Amino acid sequence: MEEKIEIKELNRGENVNISFLESKVPAGFPSPAQDSDSDILDLNRELISSPSSTFCARVTGDSMIDCGIDDGDILIIDKALTPHDGSIAVCYIDGDFTVKRISIKENGIYLVPENKRYEPIKVSEESNFQVWGIVTHIIKSVKS
């Protein structure tokens, strides 16, 4: 299933404070020497470097699953960043939005899925094509 992107504006209104455990959380065995100090984490400051050019989009589809972008994930996208070979970008091509890895070759630009079931999309000179922004972060739910 090819993905569709739903674009939403970031809520720049009321701040919500979330507690933050300053200690590292090991994925192996816990260290009894760690403190349990907490502080406030500002997700806007952590995830958004350019608020005026940043937007979010929810992914539907599975064309990027091999790089960790799954159906339902929320992408944080910065329109001010310059796309490069290998960038993961939200693109507008021929009337549709899509998220793909950009591949710049001698013979042209390709939008490459990260799922072997899908073929790369060659951007032709006739294509109505625009890079809307570069994916900077992925927010995903792991609750079951």
Side-chain angles (χ1 to χ4, degrees), residues 5 9 21-22 33 42 50 61 63 66-67 70 87 95 117:
I5 302 290
E9 288 290 320
L21 180 64
E22 190 65 41
D42 182 345
S50 180
S63 74
D66 291 339
C67 71
D70 297 307
S87 296
R117 294 184 2 199

Side-chain angles (χ1 to χ4, degrees), residues 103-123:
S103 177
I104 302 170
K105 307 272 187 196
E106 283 185 26
N107 64 340
I109 297 173
Y110 293 84
L111 304 180
V112 181
E114 294 283 346
N115 182 334
K116 292 179 175 84
R117 294 184 2 199
Y118 299 102
E119 295 294 321
I121 301 165
K122 185 170 196 293
V123 178

Side-chain angles (χ1 to χ4, degrees), residues 49-60:
S49 59
S50 180
S52 64
S53 64
T54 300
F55 65 99
C56 293
R58 185 177 304 276
V59 175
T60 61

Side-chain angles (χ1 to χ4, degrees), residues 68 70-73 138-144:
D70 297 307
D71 185 67
D73 288 351
I138 305 163
I139 301 172
K140 56 176 60 249
S141 177
V142 294
K143 63 183 175 185
S144 41

Side-chain angles (χ1 to χ4, degrees), residues 59-79:
V59 175
T60 61
D62 63 357
S63 74
M64 296 299 284
I65 60 173
D66 291 339
C67 71
I69 298 176
D70 297 307
D71 185 67
D73 288 351
I74 296 172
L75 305 177
I76 298 178
I77 303 142
D78 192 336
K79 291 181 80 162

